[in-house]
Amino acid sequence: QQQVKQSPQSLIVQKGGIPIINCAYENTAFDYFPWYQQFPGKGPALLIAIRPDVSEKKEGRFTISFNKSAKQFSLHIMDSQPGDSATYFCAAGVGGATNKLIFGTGTLLAVQP
Amino acid sequence: GAVVSQHPSRVICKSGTSVKIECRSLDFQATTMFWYRQFPKQSLMLMATSNEGSKATYEQGVEKDKFLINHASLTLSTLTVTSAHPEDSSFYICSATQARGLTEAFFGQGTRLTVV
């Protein structure tokens, strides 16, 4: 119940394409869903996050779509660039005292020039 | 965003020795810090949660006597890997949150530990 399932494991798109990464969860207590970007040898950096009271959130070229009934959420990267090539992790957490995040398995994205 | 600094970024130690990794929140007070372990091409696995001034809470399967966590101040948490073995070689990452009730977590740059 604590798992967050992420797909695909890897993804290759052409520059300008729109990669989509999907995540699914079971625990209905989760109320915070962030996406992180990680470059090799570096810590994850927060990209964008959403809470269950909205179905979509946009920040720059990054969009999260959230489907509460299906317990799924996804990341869309508009007009992808080679510099977006990285590993992307979704996560889910419960607010309050613990603030603990459960991470998905990661998606390695390659954006080809 | 808030800055979390982790030190060292890389460390090599001999089997049987101990190594300490520091995690500092530079521009905010971190009531809670988290320690993760990441194997190559894998996800982040939460090891423990530490709250300032109290004992860390370890995840199932993590040896608390081997991975000592201290959160002595609102800006510093340390992870000490005791009696290190080659299988402890990994990428260790800390994160910090600014206040109770918020879930925005800011990550350090990670520490690559190699035990030889």
Side-chain angles (χ1 to χ4, degrees):
Chain A
Q1 254 217 337
Q2 285 289 81
Q3 279 188 324
V4 177
K5 296 182 179 179
Q6 184 172 344
S7 63
Q9 192 173 9
S10 63
L11 188 54
I12 300 173
V13 299
Q14 297 294 317
K15 179 182 173 182
I18 306 176
I20 300 172
I21 305 171
N22 301 298
C23 284
Y25 63 98
E26 290 294 324
N27 188 348
T28 54
F30 288 143
D31 63 359
Y32 175 68
F33 303 90
W35 284 90
Y36 286 87
Q37 178 189 59
Q38 185 180 31
F39 293 104
K42 303 293 183 184
L46 178 66
L47 269 180
I48 185 172
I50 198 168
R51 296 190 187 269
D53 52 347
V54 296
S55 60
E56 186 176 279
K57 183 175 181 180
K58 286 185 181 180
E59 285 187 6
R61 295 185 294 110
F62 301 97
T63 300
I64 297 180
S65 297
F66 185 81
N67 186 330
K68 187 174 180 178
S69 60
K71 291 184 284 187
Q72 295 175 347
F73 58 109
S74 60
L75 175 70
H76 301 228
I77 305 176
M78 306 302 176
D79 187 28
S80 58
Q81 302 296 314
D84 296 330
S85 298
T87 300
Y88 292 81
F89 291 96
C90 64
V94 179
T98 62
N99 296 340
K100 193 160 69 173
L101 289 176
I102 306 299
F103 281 82
T105 47
T107 296
L108 180 60
L109 171 66
V111 181
Q112 296 183 334
Chain B
V3 179
V4 175
S5 176
Q6 203 171 325
H7 178 80
S9 57
R10 289 179 177 272
V11 59
I12 300 173
C13 71
K14 292 185 178 180
S15 288
T17 61
S18 296
V19 61
K20 180 185 286 187
I21 302 169
E22 291 186 348
C23 180
R24 293 181 185 272
S25 56
L26 297 186
D27 50 4
F28 66 99
Q29 293 187 328
T31 54
T32 307
M33 288 187 170
F34 303 87
W35 287 95
Y36 295 85
R37 184 173 181 176
Q38 186 178 33
F39 291 103
K41 298 184 180 180
Q42 292 192 24
S43 188
L44 286 77
M45 301 301 297
L46 181 64
M47 298 174 66
T49 303
S50 76
N51 292 298
E52 184 265 339
S54 61
K55 288 185 178 181
T57 302
Y58 290 82
E59 295 298 304
Q60 193 172 8
V62 178
E63 298 176 61
K64 61 181 179 181
D65 294 331
K66 181 166 188 60
F67 299 100
L68 301 179
I69 292 171
N70 183 275
H71 192 162
S73 77
L74 283 171
T75 59
L76 174 65
S77 177
T78 60
L79 167 67
T80 301
V81 183
T82 63
S83 187
H85 289 98
E87 57 264 31
D88 298 325
S89 299
S90 190
F91 193 53
Y92 293 88
I93 311 172
C94 71
S95 74
T97 56
Q98 290 179 278
R100 297 188 194 282
L102 294 179
T103 46
E104 286 80 1
F106 301 96
F107 283 79
Q109 66 269 42
T111 296
R112 172 72 60 195
L113 170 63
T114 303
V115 184
V116 298

